Amino acid sequence: MSLDQHPDFPPDWDLSKVIPGELEVPDDLSGELGDDDIPPGIIVPYEPSYPVLRKTGSAAMVVASVTGRAIGLSARATGTSLRWFWVGSRAIGYLGRRYIRTHDFQEAVGGIQKKSDWNQNKAERRSRWKILGWAAGITVGLNFAGWWALVKHAGFTAADSWWVTPAAMTLAAFAAVSWYGRYRINRPDIAPEQIIGDQDNPESDEPFPLAMCRSADQVEECVSRALAWEGIGTRSVRALGHRAWGWEIDVVTPDDVSAKADKLDRLFGIKRGGTLIDPDPQDASHLVIRLVTANPFENMPAPTLHAPNSLDITDSHNFGRCMDGSPLNLVLEGLRILAIGVSGAAKTTGVLRDIAEIITACHNAIALDLDPVKDGLREFEGAMAVPPIRGNKACEQWLEYLVKMAKARNTVRNRLNMGDTWIATAQHPAIFPFVDEFIYLSKEAKDLFIELMRLAKQSGIYPIAAGQDATSDSMGDAIADSFTLRIMLAARHADIPLVLGSGAIAAGYRPDRLVPAQNKDIKNDAGQSYIKGPGLDRPLLYGWNEHSNEAIKRAVADRIAAGRPWFDRDTLAAAGLLHLADGGPGEKRIPGDRQIVVDAIEVMAEAGVERIRPEPLAEALAEFNPDQYADLTAAELRKLLKDVGVGAPVPIGDIDGLINPRGYKLEALTVLT
């Protein structure tokens, strides 16, 4: 038996599974074996030994790991604090701007609706600027006092201590702003207008303002509570979504909501008239509530001015926009239009101006501007068929002319085979008389207008009236619902059923809740309206295009230069109004029609005469064209020929048994053609 502790192994042995070690033999075999716990002759494996560089590298990695973690934690903490500071400073900046601009004051009083509100708002702004000025002065004073205390009592020098108090105040402000930012991040339900979150009791039914809502669920809760507070039960309340102007909510309720709209405005904390009700005509229990928190027409694009004679009344034209974003498009042919609104609602400068801009750009329509007390659509002078018609006497005269034309056009329409209704062309244009301030017309003028309304449907004459109220006393008769298109801007409550129908208020039409303009800067709801007409049967707000007076005058100049259509000769002849062809007595001359000269030359040529008296010429013209000259008298003939430049009758020598009577010579007429 060999005693070698490190014998060599045979070369053919597989040493891959051999554990390297050595045989341990204690020095004292008879010693205390229990102390070493190593029995004699056991194999003890070698402990692995690593190079020095490897150990050093491991230690370096441990140090780098700990250091990197420390840096990462520091960077994370810095980023978090900066995020808190950013959120806090942004919120404080927003709240500060609201404070300076007195938005909270305006919301508290329900918006600037009258001059006293505007004055109070200005006073409140001045007061807040004074408070900020005092706060800035106190801050500077505190900094100066701290600097003085450090120099006087702490032994600092003036140069070393000037930065201490501003730095401390800056750090304190940074900490406070960061803390507030952290608070807002942890309370995402705080609305931008709020300073701190309200501690709302989920079991409470007390209503809260819409401005506190940050999600659709909160809006549904807000609406449910407000309706319950007013005793309105609900089967379901579902937010349809947020729009640019506010919220749209679908509601199913067995109760009437329209009657409580004014109270709901206050509960929601929105402007007066901001709660709009849109009942479902197919289901009386189903309705849509629209909560308007911003002007739906704030971002309307500037309207387009149209080229002269480029439009047609049979086409659809844009006049504005609906609050749901859809365009307000109307076909003018066949429309008899009524616009009702109190002073400042933008009847003339909004609705009538928009309609007149389209009509005076149509190649197959003419317009007249009648106003008994004010200046109407004076900016369209020259593009209208006749100069502005002002005063009750002139209005009565022209309404009488229009009634005669309406009666005569039935004959002309049948003779020209137009069918059941007048077909407007450049030669036979439709006529749109604008009557502004209708309620100031005399009784005779109102009676003529009502007669025109009843006669003109098939004659291509489409009256347009505007006034401040629609009672039968104001309009002369209960004809408001006879108009095919009815427009109500800011108006009286009593006029709603007269204009829009007896069930209009319950159906959600509430123009009485619109606020007219106070002045050019405080427009409120001016230019916004409810409309009933072809295809327009929902209580939605419609905003009208806003053309400036200067832009209209530029467009009118172009239209005058291009030429406008005028009353057709067939209508004037059938109505016995041929004397209007070049402007009537007292009227501004309008470039006229010299057809009568051509007809007179042809009559004389057929008769083979070179001179003729007015009486036989009038008779010959009546035989030549009965539709136009049937009622033409010798006096009217003399006036017509004089107005077109022929002049007064001249001596023509002995004729018809008379000695040197006065009449017309063929050569004089021929020169004019």
Side-chain angles (χ1 to χ4, degrees):
M1 180 177 181
S2 173
L3 296 177
D4 188 1
Q5 294 183 0
H6 302 282
D8 293 330
F9 294 102
D12 57 344
W13 279 30
D14 182 8
L15 301 179
S16 62
K17 297 182 180 179
V18 175
I19 301 174
E22 61 180 340
L23 183 63
E24 286 285 340
V25 179
D27 294 336
D28 186 5
L29 295 176
S30 60
E32 298 178 1
L33 298 176
D35 294 339
D36 295 324
D37 283 340
I38 301 177
I42 193 168
I43 300 295
V44 178
Y46 290 132
E47 290 292 336
S49 177
Y50 300 105
V52 174
L53 289 176
R54 184 173 180 182
K55 293 181 179 179
T56 304
S58 298
M61 290 300 293
V62 171
V63 172
S65 174
V66 174
T67 304
R69 183 179 181 187
I71 294 173
L73 290 174
S74 300
R76 182 178 180 184
T78 303
T80 301
S81 62
L82 289 176
R83 178 168 174 259
W84 293 347
F85 178 77
W86 165 249
V87 173
S89 60
R90 186 174 60 179
I92 290 173
Y94 178 82
L95 293 170
R97 184 178 183 277
R98 280 179 55 83
Y99 178 79
I100 292 299
R101 302 295 295 174
T102 62
H103 288 181
D104 56 328
F105 172 80
Q106 296 176 37
E107 292 168 359
V109 301
I112 305 299
Q113 301 183 19
K114 51 187 181 295
K115 188 174 182 180
S116 60
D117 293 339
W118 181 257
N119 293 333
Q120 290 177 16
N121 185 59
K122 291 174 64 177
E124 182 66 20
R125 284 189 182 179
R126 286 195 295 267
S127 173
R128 293 184 178 186
W129 276 111
K130 289 180 181 178
I131 291 173
L132 291 177
W134 277 105
I138 291 171
T139 301
V140 173
L142 289 174
N143 276 277
F144 181 80
W147 170 79
W148 179 83
L150 290 173
V151 174
K152 182 72 174 177
H153 301 289
F156 281 71
T157 65
D160 293 336
S161 63
W162 68 267
W163 59 272
V164 175
T165 48
M169 189 168 291
T170 301
L171 289 174
F174 180 87
V177 172
S178 299
W179 173 86
Y180 184 58
R182 180 178 181 274
Y183 171 71
R184 291 195 74 97
I185 290 173
N186 293 332
R187 289 297 303 270
D189 57 315
I190 302 176
E193 297 82 3
Q194 290 179 273
I195 298 177
I196 60 174
D198 292 339
Q199 303 300 316
D200 185 45
N201 179 6
E203 302 299 325
S204 172
D205 285 333
E206 184 176 354
F208 55 89
L210 183 67
M212 295 175 58
C213 299
R214 303 294 293 165
S215 66
D217 292 341
Q218 293 175 353
V219 171
E220 292 171 358
E221 181 68 18
C222 174
V223 173
S224 296
R225 291 192 186 189
L227 294 178
W229 191 263
E230 291 299 325
I232 300 171
T234 56
R235 297 171 186 164
S236 71
V237 177
R238 180 170 60 92
L240 298 177
H242 184 264
R243 315 297 182 219
W245 42 261
W247 285 90
E248 202 167 24
I249 303 97
D250 185 274
V251 176
V252 178
T253 173
D255 300 320
D256 180 23
V257 180
S258 297
K260 302 293 182 67
D262 288 329
K263 294 182 178 179
L264 291 174
D265 289 343
R266 292 191 286 271
L267 294 179
F268 292 132
I270 58 180
K271 68 164 189 166
R272 180 178 181 271
T275 304
L276 307 182
I277 313 298
D278 183 6
D280 185 347
Q282 305 301 323
D283 182 355
S285 67
H286 177 229
L287 54 91
V288 173
I289 295 178
R290 297 180 179 88
L291 304 180
V292 179
T293 58
N295 185 351
F297 313 105
E298 186 70 32
N299 60 345
M300 279 183 62
T304 301
L305 290 169
H306 300 87
N309 302 321
S310 62
L311 304 181
D312 191 306
I313 63 167
T314 62
D315 295 332
S316 178
H317 304 292
N318 178 260
F319 292 90
R321 191 177 72 186
C322 178
M323 68 178 299
D324 65 4
S326 61
L328 172 57
N329 291 338
L330 299 172
V331 177
L332 289 174
E333 185 180 41
L335 288 185
R336 300 183 300 282
I337 303 171
L338 173 65
I340 296 295
V342 298
S343 178
K347 296 184 304 297
T348 306
T349 59
V351 176
L352 297 187
R353 182 178 286 177
D354 282 352
I355 297 173
E357 193 280 327
I358 296 293
I359 292 174
T360 57
C362 288
H363 72 93
N364 57 349
I366 58 176
L368 292 83
D369 172 24
L370 295 83
D371 192 322
V373 293
K374 295 169 71 176
D375 209 22
L377 298 168
R378 173 74 66 172
E379 62 271 26
F380 287 93
E381 184 176 1
M384 296 287 186
V386 296
I389 302 166
R390 299 291 180 261
N392 264 305
K393 184 176 180 180
C395 288
E396 289 174 18
Q397 183 182 47
W398 272 99
L399 286 170
E400 184 179 358
Y401 291 160
L402 290 169
V403 169
K404 291 181 178 180
M405 292 181 195
K407 295 176 179 177
R409 277 195 164 191
N410 289 321
T411 302
V412 176
R413 175 172 53 83
N414 292 324
R415 180 167 59 82
L416 298 179
N417 295 318
M418 288 185 176
D420 294 331
T421 57
W422 187 268
I423 298 176
T425 64
Q427 293 71 36
H428 297 88
I431 303 172
F432 290 86
F434 286 81
V435 182
D436 200 359
E437 299 299 344
F438 181 90
I439 62 175
Y440 291 103
L441 287 177
S442 65
K443 183 180 184 306
E444 292 75 11
K446 288 179 181 178
D447 291 342
L448 288 167
F449 185 89
I450 293 170
E451 185 177 5
L452 179 64
M453 279 281 294
R454 293 168 177 166
L455 289 173
K457 179 180 179 182
Q458 296 176 310
S459 302
I461 301 177
Y462 309 118
I464 300 171
Q468 296 189 22
D469 57 75
T471 62
S472 58
D473 291 339
S474 299
M475 302 201 72
D477 200 353
I479 61 167
D481 58 355
S482 300
F483 291 85
T484 50
L485 184 73
R486 289 158 282 163
I487 303 162
M488 291 202 75
L489 301 105
R492 302 184 314 160
H493 185 275
D495 290 326
I496 301 175
L498 297 175
V499 179
L500 301 178
S502 58
I505 296 175
Y509 291 90
R510 295 300 304 271
D512 59 316
R513 303 180 71 226
L514 297 175
V515 182
Q518 179 177 326
N519 52 48
K520 65 179 181 179
D521 297 317
I522 307 176
K523 295 185 177 181
N524 296 323
D525 300 322
Q528 300 181 26
S529 66
Y530 290 88
I531 304 176
K532 264 196 173 183
L536 301 170
D537 56 0
R538 296 178 62 194
L540 297 173
L541 283 176
Y542 291 87
W544 291 78
N545 289 328
E546 187 175 352
H547 291 284
S548 68
N549 186 282
E550 294 74 16
I552 291 295
K553 288 181 178 178
R554 290 194 299 270
V556 166
D558 294 338
R559 294 169 191 184
I560 294 173
R564 295 284 300 135
W566 204 62
F567 297 103
D568 61 287
R569 188 177 181 83
D570 291 326
T571 295
L572 293 179
L577 299 173
L578 275 175
H579 63 281
L580 298 178
D582 286 287
E587 296 291 336
K588 178 180 176 182
R589 177 178 293 277
I590 300 171
D593 181 1
R594 296 193 176 186
Q595 183 63 39
I596 191 170
V597 178
V598 176
D599 292 344
I601 292 173
E602 187 170 349
V603 166
M604 294 176 70
E606 288 183 357
V609 297
E610 294 186 357
R611 48 200 177 99
I612 190 171
R613 293 186 301 111
E615 291 78 9
L617 179 56
E619 294 175 0
L621 286 171
E623 294 178 2
F624 175 75
N625 191 338
D627 290 334
Q628 293 187 17
Y629 304 117
D631 299 322
L632 185 64
T633 65
E636 290 174 346
L637 174 63
R638 283 193 292 268
K639 183 180 185 310
L640 289 174
L641 291 176
K642 180 180 180 180
D643 288 342
V644 297
V646 174
V650 297
I652 57 175
D654 297 346
I655 191 175
D656 298 335
L658 300 175
I659 300 174
N660 201 22
R662 291 180 172 270
Y664 302 98
K665 296 179 179 181
L666 181 60
E667 59 182 355
L669 298 178
T670 305
V671 171
L672 293 176
T673 60

